[in-house]
Amino acid sequence: MKSTHSADSGIKAITGSTRQHINSRLHKASTYAQHLVELLKDRAGSGSAQDDLFEARAYFVSLRGAVEFEKRSWQRCLQEYSESRVLYTALAKSGNAKRSGVFRDLLSTTIDPSIRYAAYQFKLPRTTTIDSIVTRYVPREDNEYIQEVLRADPDALSAGRPGQKRSSVEGAQNVPKTIRWRSREVNLEDASTAQALAAVSAAEAKLSSFLSSNPDLDSKAKAAAYDDVLIPSQDAVDSTKTALDELSNEGVSPGDQRVQALQITRTAVNYALVGWRVGRNRVLCGSRDGATLEDESSRKPRRPRKDGKLRKAQEEGTGRKLTRLRERVVLYDAILQSLDSVKGLPGVAADQAFVQELDTKRRYFSALRCLAIARSHALLSNNKNALALFARALEQCPQLPVSAVPEDPPSTPPKLEVTPTQTSSLYALLGSLVHRHRALVELHGLQEEMVKAAEAESKTALPMIERLDEYPANGADLSNLVTYPPKIQPIPVKPLFYDFASNYIEYPGRGRERDDQKADAPGSGVDGKGEPKQEAKKGWFGFGFGR
C-alpha cells in the first residue's frame, strides 16, 4: 500500500474513478463490520464470546483505518490502526496457536506497515517505535474495548509484538541510539532496528548466564539456547532492509547521510547475525570446535544391572562415528558459506584488513573440515588418504600471534572470533596426527614390500609338503601346498648294500664275537658251549609228519 501511494505522482497512480471505487468499497465494508459488532454486543441473543466481539471490533477499526488512510487523514488513521493493533495483540496472546499465528501475520503484514507509513506522512520521527506511536494515539477515553483489555492486562500498551518473549521486551527498554562498526559509529535511523538490537543485547546476556550456569549440557541443548538471540538478530536485519527499501522508494539519493548510516547499520547487523549462526554451529560441533572425536557412549548415564553392578560402557561403533563426522562436515560447510556471504556486504570489500581477518577465520574452519574428513578415512584404515588430508589441514591452519586477537572471557558465548589459543592448539593436534599417520603409512609400506617379496619367493619355491621343516614367517602359501598335477620323477627307495669287505674289518673287542659265530656255523656238530647239537625235529608237532 505504501509503495502504491509513493508512486501517486507517476504514471501508474490510482486516480479518478478507481480511487473512488476503492473508497466506496472500504466504506461499505466498514459499515457491515460495524453492524456485526452491534449484533455481537448482544451476547445473550448471539451467543458470542468476548474474543468474538474483540475480533469483530478489531476488524471494524482496521477497515476504518484503511478508509482514513485513503482519505490521507493521518492522525485519524493512526488512532484507528492503534486500537486495532492493541485488540489483535490481546487476541494473539489469548487465542490458540493457530489463531495466534493468523493474528501475528496480520499485524506484521498489514497493521504495522500502515502505522509506520502513516507516522511517516504525519511527520513523526523515524526513530519512534511502533509501540510508542500506539501508546500515544490509541483512544483510551470512552472506549470500552481498550479499557477491558487494560483491565485484563495492565501492560498491554507496553508488551510489544505478540510472540516475543518477556525477557527480550524488557531488555528492549534500553534502546541504543548508535551502532558501531569497525572504526565508524553512526546513529540508528530506524526505531525497529534499535528495538531489535536492544532485544539482542538482553538475549545475549541471558544466553551467557545460561551457558555459564549449565556447563555440563550436551551440545544440542546449548545450541537450542541460541534461538533466543537469532530471532531478534534476524528482526534487526529485516527492519534495516525495510528502512533502506523505504528510502529507495522515496527517491532518496544513495549519497544521503541517512542512506549511508543505514548501509553501515546493515553491514553491522548482518555480520552480527552471521556471528551468532556460526557460534551455534560451533557449539553443535562439540568441544574445541570439533577438533577432538569424543566417544558419546562414555557420556551417557549407565543404568545398573539387576545385581546392582554398573554396566560396562560399550565402545561407540565405527558407523556412528562416521555419521557424526559427516554431520560436522555439513556444519563446517555452513560456516564457510556464512563467511563468504560477509564479503558481499556493503563496505567490506574495501576494508583489506577486515578481509584478511575473514580469510584467517576461513582457513581455520577449512582446517577443521579437512580434519573431520581425514578422521573418516582413518577410521576406514585408508591411511594414505588420511595422511594427505591431515597434511592439507596442517597447511590450512593459521598461526596467529599472541597479541593479534584479544581473547574473550570464558563466559562469552562462542561466535565468529578465533583466538590464538585455539589456532595453536589445533596446529599442535594436526602436527601430531601427521607424524602418527606418516609412521603408519611407512609401516604399511614395509608390510606390503614384505608381502610382495614373499609372493615372489613363493612362485619359485618348493611346495609346502616338501618344506615342512621350515616355518613360514609371513603365513603359509595355501596356493603352493603340493605340485598338482604331479610330475613323473624318480623317488628314493630302500638302498642296496654292496660292501662285502665290511665283514672282514677287524675292530677292537670283536675277536670273541667272531669265534662264537664260527662255532655256530652249520656243519660243526657242536654248539657254542662245546656240547653236541641236537637234531631239530621236523614236521608238525614233532610227530614226523611232513618228512
Side-chain angles (χ1 to χ4, degrees):
M1 188 179 292
K2 182 201 166 187
S3 61
T4 302
H5 284 275
S6 299
D8 278 351
S9 59
I11 300 176
K12 297 182 179 180
I14 300 176
T15 58
S17 60
T18 304
R19 181 180 292 276
Q20 292 178 1
H21 178 69
I22 292 175
N23 293 338
S24 175
R25 297 296 295 269
L26 287 174
H27 181 73
K28 185 181 294 186
S30 63
T31 303
Y32 291 152
Q34 185 179 9
H35 292 166
L36 178 61
V37 172
E38 296 297 333
L39 291 174
L40 293 178
K41 280 184 178 180
D42 184 11
R43 297 186 181 179
S46 62
S48 61
Q50 184 179 9
D51 288 350
D52 299 331
L53 180 59
F54 278 8
E55 185 176 356
R57 175 68 182 184
Y59 180 65
F60 165 64
V61 292
S62 65
L63 290 176
R64 291 298 306 167
V67 171
E68 299 298 336
F69 193 101
E70 294 298 328
K71 292 180 180 180
R72 302 196 178 189
S73 179
W74 305 118
Q75 184 174 1
R76 288 287 303 167
C77 177
L78 288 174
Q79 292 175 354
E80 300 292 350
Y81 273 127
S82 296
E83 181 182 355
S84 177
R85 189 178 191 274
V86 171
L87 293 175
Y88 276 129
T89 301
L91 289 171
K93 292 180 179 179
S94 61
N96 55 26
K98 184 176 181 180
R99 288 170 57 85
S100 298
V102 174
F103 293 140
R104 283 195 295 268
D105 293 340
L106 184 60
L107 287 171
S108 60
T109 58
T110 303
I111 306 298
D112 288 354
S114 300
I115 293 176
R116 175 62 63 191
Y117 183 73
Y120 171 76
Q121 294 292 342
F122 198 52
K123 306 301 181 182
L124 294 179
R126 189 183 292 272
T127 56
T128 306
T129 62
I130 293 180
D131 292 336
S132 301
I133 296 172
V134 171
T135 304
R136 183 186 304 179
Y137 289 97
V138 64
R140 305 185 188 185
E141 298 179 359
D142 300 333
N143 193 320
E144 55 181 331
Y145 303 99
I146 299 299
Q147 296 297 330
E148 185 67 26
V149 171
L150 292 176
R151 279 194 295 269
D153 186 8
D155 298 331
L157 296 181
S158 59
R161 182 181 297 178
Q164 291 180 342
K165 295 191 175 181
R166 178 67 62 181
S167 60
S168 300
V169 176
E170 291 174 356
Q173 294 177 358
N174 299 324
V175 178
K177 302 297 182 182
T178 60
I179 187 172
R180 188 175 186 84
W181 168 248
R182 304 289 287 174
S183 60
R184 300 189 62 179
E185 186 174 0
V186 296
N187 296 326
L188 289 173
E189 298 292 336
D190 186 67
S192 300
T193 304
Q195 193 172 7
L197 290 176
V200 170
S201 300
E204 181 180 358
K206 183 179 178 181
L207 177 63
S208 300
S209 62
F210 175 77
L211 294 180
S212 59
S213 59
N214 300 280
D216 298 332
L217 285 178
D218 60 344
S219 58
K220 292 184 179 179
K222 292 180 180 179
Y226 274 75
D227 294 340
D228 294 338
V229 186
L230 289 172
I231 293 174
S233 298
Q234 185 64 52
D235 291 341
V237 172
D238 295 340
S239 59
T240 305
K241 183 179 182 302
T242 302
L244 279 171
D245 293 341
E246 291 175 356
L247 292 179
S248 177
N249 293 332
E250 293 169 9
V252 180
S253 173
D256 189 86
Q257 184 178 0
R258 294 174 297 172
V259 177
Q260 293 294 323
L262 283 174
Q263 291 286 5
I264 295 175
T265 304
R266 179 188 175 190
T267 302
V269 296
N270 275 278
Y271 183 75
L273 178 61
V274 169
W276 289 115
R277 287 177 178 172
V278 171
R280 182 178 182 273
N281 291 338
R282 292 175 72 176
V283 170
L284 285 173
C285 289
S287 61
R288 297 177 61 185
D289 295 331
T292 58
L293 185 61
E294 299 177 351
D295 193 354
E296 285 189 346
S297 59
S298 61
R299 296 185 298 176
K300 294 181 179 179
R302 287 176 290 170
R303 295 180 299 175
R305 299 187 303 185
K306 294 182 179 180
D307 55 1
K309 298 181 180 179
L310 290 177
R311 299 178 184 271
K312 294 183 179 180
Q314 296 181 355
E315 185 179 358
E316 189 177 12
T318 303
R320 177 57 185 162
K321 291 181 180 179
L322 292 175
T323 302
R324 289 169 53 200
L325 290 171
R326 192 179 300 112
E327 293 173 354
R328 289 184 183 181
V329 172
V330 173
L331 292 173
Y332 293 138
D333 288 336
I335 291 174
L336 295 175
Q337 291 177 2
S338 299
L339 288 173
D340 293 338
S341 66
V342 174
K343 296 183 179 180
L345 296 175
V348 172
D351 193 346
Q352 295 298 327
F354 183 64
V355 171
Q356 291 180 359
E357 292 180 12
L358 291 177
D359 292 338
T360 301
K361 296 172 183 177
R362 197 182 193 285
R363 288 174 55 195
Y364 174 76
F365 291 108
S366 297
L368 288 172
R369 182 178 182 275
C370 289
L371 172 60
I373 300 175
R375 286 188 184 279
S376 301
H377 285 276
L379 289 174
L380 297 175
S381 300
N382 297 330
N383 293 322
K384 291 184 179 180
N385 296 343
L387 175 60
L389 288 168
F390 281 131
R392 175 62 177 170
L394 184 63
E395 180 184 352
Q396 286 286 330
C397 182
Q399 291 182 327
L400 297 177
V402 178
S403 59
V405 181
E407 297 192 11
D408 295 331
S411 60
T412 304
K415 288 190 289 186
L416 196 53
E417 288 73 17
V418 178
T419 62
T421 303
Q422 294 171 339
T423 56
S424 60
S425 175
L426 178 61
Y427 191 85
L429 175 63
L430 290 173
S432 63
L433 290 174
V434 167
H435 290 310
R436 179 176 183 270
H437 283 80
R438 182 176 288 122
L440 290 175
V441 170
E442 289 293 336
L443 291 175
H444 185 69
L446 292 175
Q447 185 179 5
E448 286 183 350
E449 292 179 359
M450 293 176 62
V451 171
K452 290 180 180 179
E455 291 178 356
E457 183 181 356
S458 64
K459 293 180 180 179
T460 58
L462 296 174
M464 179 62 66
I465 194 171
E466 299 181 13
R467 294 183 291 112
L468 296 178
D469 57 334
E470 299 178 2
Y471 177 76
N474 297 323
D477 186 9
L478 301 181
S479 62
N480 193 21
L481 296 178
V482 296
T483 302
Y484 185 83
K487 299 179 181 179
I488 300 177
Q489 57 183 355
I491 59 175
V493 297
K494 183 177 180 181
L496 299 177
F497 192 74
Y498 294 102
D499 195 355
F500 298 104
S502 63
N503 296 328
Y504 300 93
I505 297 176
E506 295 290 342
Y507 292 97
R510 293 188 60 185
R512 183 178 176 80
E513 183 179 353
R514 292 184 58 188
D515 296 338
D516 295 342
Q517 292 178 356
K518 290 181 179 181
D520 295 337
S524 60
V526 295
D527 56 6
K529 298 180 180 180
E531 298 179 358
K533 296 176 62 177
Q534 296 180 2
E535 185 179 359
K537 296 180 180 181
K538 298 180 180 180
W540 290 352
F541 307 106
F543 295 119
F545 295 103
R547 290 182 179 179

